[in-house]
Amino acid sequence: DTVSIILKDAEVAESDEEKNGIIIDYDVKGDVISLEILDAKTRVTQPMQMVYELAGQTGITPEEVSV
């Protein structure tokens, strides 16, 4: 089982497994475009909930999360 977080719709130029089970994808500019968490059942306690912070604001949007 995998949790994927897509930040930007772009072609993957490079992927690195920064930590065991955490894969980060980069575009041609070196910008992070997505993250993958492998073995998500053992790493993520609430996969249907997303908490984010953007420009100093926080929010929880479980309706926008698709599994």
Side-chain angles (χ1 to χ4, degrees), residues 37-64:
I37 303 170
L38 308 179
D39 296 321
K41 287 180 186 174
T42 63
R43 299 170 187 263
V44 179
T45 57
Q46 295 183 11
M48 296 302 292
Q49 178 178 346
M50 176 182 279
V51 178
Y52 67 93
E53 184 171 336
L54 179 64
Q57 299 175 352
T58 60
I60 300 172
T61 58
E63 301 83 17
E64 296 179 10

Side-chain angles (χ1 to χ4, degrees), residues 7 18 20-21 23 27 56 67:
L7 305 172
E18 297 290 328
N20 188 26
I23 299 170
D27 65 10
V67 176

